[in-house]
Coordinates of all heavy atoms in Angstrom, one line a residue:
E3 N 101.6 102.5 93.3 CA 100.8 101.8 94.4 C 100.1 100.6 93.8 O 100.0 99.6 94.5 CB 99.7 102.8 94.9 CG 100.3 103.9 95.8 CD 99.3 104.8 96.3 OE1 98.1 104.7 95.9 OE2 99.6 105.7 97.2
A4 N 99.8 100.6 92.5 CA 99.2 99.4 91.9 C 100.3 98.3 91.9 O 100.0 97.1 92.2 CB 98.7 99.7 90.5
D5 N 101.5 98.7 91.5 CA 102.6 97.7 91.5 C 102.9 97.1 92.9 O 103.1 95.9 93.0 CB 103.9 98.4 91.0 CG 105.0 97.4 90.8 OD1 104.8 96.3 90.2 OD2 106.1 97.8 91.2
E6 N 102.8 98.0 93.9 CA 103.1 97.5 95.3 C 102.0 96.6 95.8 O 102.3 95.7 96.6 CB 103.2 98.7 96.2 CG 104.5 99.5 96.0 CD 104.5 100.7 96.9 OE1 103.4 101.2 97.4 OE2 105.6 101.2 97.1
R7 N 100.8 96.7 95.2 CA 99.7 95.8 95.6 C 99.7 94.5 94.7 O 98.9 93.6 94.9 CB 98.3 96.5 95.4 CG 98.1 97.7 96.3 CD 96.6 98.1 96.3 NE 96.1 98.4 94.9 CZ 96.2 99.6 94.4 NH1 96.7 100.6 95.1 NH2 95.7 99.9 93.2
G8 N 100.7 94.4 93.9 CA 100.8 93.2 93.0 C 99.8 93.3 91.8 O 99.5 92.2 91.2
E9 N 99.2 94.4 91.5 CA 98.3 94.6 90.4 C 99.0 95.2 89.2 O 100.1 95.8 89.3 CB 97.2 95.6 90.9 CG 96.4 95.1 92.1 CD 95.4 96.1 92.6 OE1 95.3 97.2 91.9 OE2 94.8 95.9 93.6
A10 N 98.4 95.0 88.1 CA 98.9 95.6 86.8 C 98.8 97.1 86.9 O 97.8 97.6 87.4 CB 98.2 95.0 85.6
M11 N 99.8 97.8 86.4 CA 99.7 99.2 86.3 C 98.6 99.6 85.3 O 98.4 98.9 84.3 CB 101.0 99.8 85.9 CG 102.1 99.7 87.0 SD 103.6 100.6 86.4 CE 104.7 100.3 87.8
P12 N 98.0 100.8 85.5 CA 97.0 101.3 84.5 C 97.6 101.4 83.1 O 98.8 101.7 83.0 CB 96.6 102.6 85.1 CG 96.8 102.5 86.6 CD 98.0 101.7 86.7
H13 N 96.8 101.1 82.1 CA 97.2 101.1 80.8 C 97.9 102.4 80.4 O 98.8 102.5 79.6 CB 96.0 100.8 79.8 CG 96.4 100.8 78.4 ND1 96.3 101.9 77.5 CD2 96.8 99.7 77.6 CE1 96.7 101.5 76.3 NE2 97.0 100.2 76.3
F14 N 97.3 103.5 80.9 CA 97.9 104.8 80.6 C 99.4 104.9 80.9 O 100.1 105.4 80.1 CB 97.1 105.9 81.4 CG 97.7 107.3 81.3 CD1 97.4 108.1 80.2 CD2 98.6 107.8 82.2 CE1 98.0 109.4 80.1 CE2 99.1 109.0 82.1 CZ 98.8 109.8 81.0
F15 N 99.8 104.4 82.0 CA 101.2 104.5 82.4 C 102.0 103.5 81.6 O 103.1 103.9 81.0 CB 101.3 104.1 83.9 CG 100.9 105.2 84.8 CD1 99.6 105.1 85.4 CD2 101.6 106.3 85.1 CE1 99.1 106.1 86.3 CE2 101.2 107.3 86.0 CZ 99.9 107.2 86.5
R16 N 101.5 102.3 81.4 CA 102.3 101.3 80.7 C 102.5 101.6 79.2 O 103.5 101.5 78.6 CB 101.7 99.9 80.9 CG 101.8 99.3 82.3 CD 101.5 97.8 82.3 NE 102.3 97.1 81.3 CZ 103.5 96.6 81.5 NH1 104.0 96.8 82.7 NH2 104.2 96.0 80.6
H17 N 101.4 102.0 78.6 CA 101.4 102.2 77.2 C 101.7 103.6 76.7 O 102.5 103.9 75.9 CB 100.1 101.7 76.6 CG 100.1 101.5 75.1 ND1 100.7 100.3 74.6 CD2 99.7 102.2 74.1 CE1 100.6 100.4 73.3 NE2 100.0 101.5 72.9
E18 N 100.9 104.6 77.3 CA 101.1 106.0 76.8 C 102.4 106.6 77.3 O 103.0 107.4 76.5 CB 99.9 106.8 77.3 CG 98.5 106.4 76.9 CD 98.4 106.3 75.4 OE1 99.0 107.2 74.7 OE2 97.7 105.4 74.9
L19 N 102.8 106.3 78.5 CA 104.0 106.8 79.1 C 105.2 105.9 79.0 O 106.3 106.4 79.2 CB 103.8 107.2 80.6 CG 102.8 108.3 80.9 CD1 102.8 108.5 82.4 CD2 103.2 109.6 80.2
G20 N 105.0 104.6 78.7 CA 106.1 103.7 78.7 C 106.7 103.6 80.1 O 107.9 103.4 80.2
F21 N 105.9 103.5 81.1 CA 106.3 103.4 82.5 C 105.8 102.1 83.0 O 104.6 101.8 83.0 CB 105.7 104.6 83.3 CG 106.1 104.6 84.7 CD1 107.3 105.2 85.2 CD2 105.3 104.0 85.7 CE1 107.6 105.2 86.5 CE2 105.6 104.0 87.0 CZ 106.8 104.6 87.5
G22 N 106.7 101.3 83.6 CA 106.3 100.0 84.1 C 107.2 99.5 85.3 O 107.6 100.4 86.1
T23 N 107.4 98.2 85.3 CA 108.1 97.6 86.5 C 109.5 97.4 86.1 O 109.9 97.4 84.9 CB 107.4 96.3 86.8 OG1 107.7 95.4 85.8 CG2 105.9 96.5 87.1
A24 N 110.3 97.0 87.1 CA 111.7 96.7 86.8 C 111.8 95.5 85.9 O 112.7 95.4 85.0 CB 112.4 96.4 88.2
D25 N 110.9 94.5 86.0 CA 110.9 93.4 85.2 C 110.7 93.7 83.7 O 111.2 93.0 82.8 CB 109.9 92.3 85.6 CG 110.3 91.7 86.9 OD1 111.5 91.6 87.2 OD2 109.4 91.2 87.6
D26 N 110.0 94.8 83.4 CA 109.8 95.2 82.0 C 111.1 95.6 81.3 O 111.2 95.7 80.1 CB 108.8 96.4 82.0 CG 107.4 96.0 82.4 OD1 107.0 94.9 82.0 OD2 106.7 96.8 83.1
V27 N 112.1 96.0 82.1 CA 113.4 96.4 81.6 C 114.4 95.3 81.5 O 115.3 95.2 80.7 CB 114.0 97.6 82.4 CG1 115.3 98.1 81.8 CG2 113.0 98.7 82.6
A28 N 114.2 94.3 82.4 CA 115.1 93.2 82.5 C 115.3 92.4 81.3 O 116.4 91.9 81.0 CB 114.7 92.3 83.7
G29 N 114.3 92.2 80.5 CA 114.4 91.4 79.3 C 115.4 92.0 78.3 O 116.1 91.3 77.6
L30 N 115.4 93.3 78.2 CA 116.3 94.0 77.3 C 117.8 93.8 77.8 O 118.6 93.6 76.9 CB 116.0 95.5 77.2 CG 116.9 96.4 76.4 CD1 117.0 96.0 75.0 CD2 116.5 97.9 76.6
I31 N 118.0 93.9 79.1 CA 119.3 93.6 79.6 C 119.8 92.2 79.2 O 120.9 92.1 78.7 CB 119.3 93.7 81.2 CG1 118.9 95.1 81.6 CG2 120.7 93.4 81.7 CD1 119.8 96.2 81.2
A32 N 119.0 91.2 79.4 CA 119.4 89.9 79.0 C 119.6 89.7 77.5 O 120.5 89.0 77.1 CB 118.3 88.8 79.5
F33 N 118.8 90.3 76.7 CA 118.9 90.3 75.3 C 120.2 90.9 74.8 O 121.0 90.3 74.0 CB 117.8 91.0 74.6 CG 118.0 91.2 73.1 CD1 118.0 90.2 72.2 CD2 118.3 92.5 72.6 CE1 118.2 90.4 70.8 CE2 118.5 92.7 71.3 CZ 118.5 91.7 70.4
L34 N 120.6 92.1 75.3 CA 121.8 92.7 75.0 C 123.0 92.0 75.4 O 124.1 92.1 74.9 CB 121.9 94.2 75.5 CG 120.9 95.2 74.9 CD1 120.9 96.5 75.6 CD2 121.2 95.4 73.4
A35 N 122.8 91.1 76.5 CA 123.9 90.3 77.0 C 124.1 89.0 76.2 O 125.2 88.4 76.3 CB 123.6 89.9 78.4
S36 N 123.2 88.7 75.3 CA 123.3 87.5 74.5 C 124.1 87.5 73.3 O 124.4 88.6 72.8 CB 121.8 87.0 74.2 OG 121.3 87.9 73.2
D37 N 124.3 86.4 72.7 CA 125.0 86.3 71.4 C 124.2 86.9 70.3 O 124.7 87.3 69.3 CB 125.4 84.8 71.1 CG 126.4 84.3 72.0 OD1 127.1 85.1 72.7 OD2 126.6 83.0 72.1
A38 N 122.9 86.9 70.5 CA 122.0 87.4 69.4 C 122.2 88.9 69.2 O 121.8 89.5 68.2 CB 120.5 87.2 69.8
A39 N 122.8 89.6 70.2 CA 123.0 91.1 70.2 C 124.5 91.4 69.8 O 124.9 92.6 70.0 CB 122.6 91.7 71.5
A40 N 125.1 90.5 69.1 CA 126.6 90.7 68.8 C 126.7 91.9 67.9 O 127.8 92.6 67.9 CB 127.2 89.5 68.2
G41 N 125.7 92.2 67.0 CA 125.9 93.3 66.1 C 125.3 94.6 66.6 O 125.2 95.6 65.8
I42 N 124.9 94.7 67.9 CA 124.3 95.9 68.4 C 125.3 96.5 69.4 O 125.7 96.0 70.4 CB 123.0 95.6 69.2 CG1 122.0 94.9 68.2 CG2 122.4 96.9 69.7 CD1 120.8 94.3 69.0
T43 N 125.8 97.7 69.0 CA 126.8 98.4 69.9 C 126.7 99.9 69.7 O 126.3 100.4 68.7 CB 128.2 97.9 69.7 OG1 129.1 98.4 70.7 CG2 128.7 98.3 68.3
G44 N 127.0 100.6 70.8 CA 127.0 102.1 70.7 C 125.6 102.7 70.8 O 125.5 103.9 70.4
Q45 N 124.6 101.9 71.2 CA 123.2 102.4 71.1 C 122.7 102.8 72.5 O 123.2 102.3 73.5 CB 122.4 101.3 70.6 CG 122.8 100.8 69.2 CD 122.8 101.9 68.2 OE1 121.8 102.6 67.9 NE2 124.0 102.1 67.6

């Protein structure tokens, strides 16, 4: 509900549970797609 209101999620969710928004995952997708991740596979 905080996310839907455009507010930051409570720290408990983001930090203690590692639960966030879709954008929090998107950076990892772009990183693994890059040339910088050429040595990362099978993970």
Side-chain angles (χ1 to χ4, degrees):
E3 290 182 352
D5 184 47
E6 289 178 339
R7 295 194 302 271
E9 300 172 3
M11 289 183 181
H13 182 267
F14 173 82
F15 288 99
R16 290 192 56 83
H17 197 78
E18 302 300 325
L19 294 181
F21 179 86
T23 69
D25 287 338
D26 291 321
V27 186
L30 176 60
I31 299 294
F33 169 71
L34 290 174
S36 73
D37 292 343
I42 303 170
T43 192
Q45 303 303 303

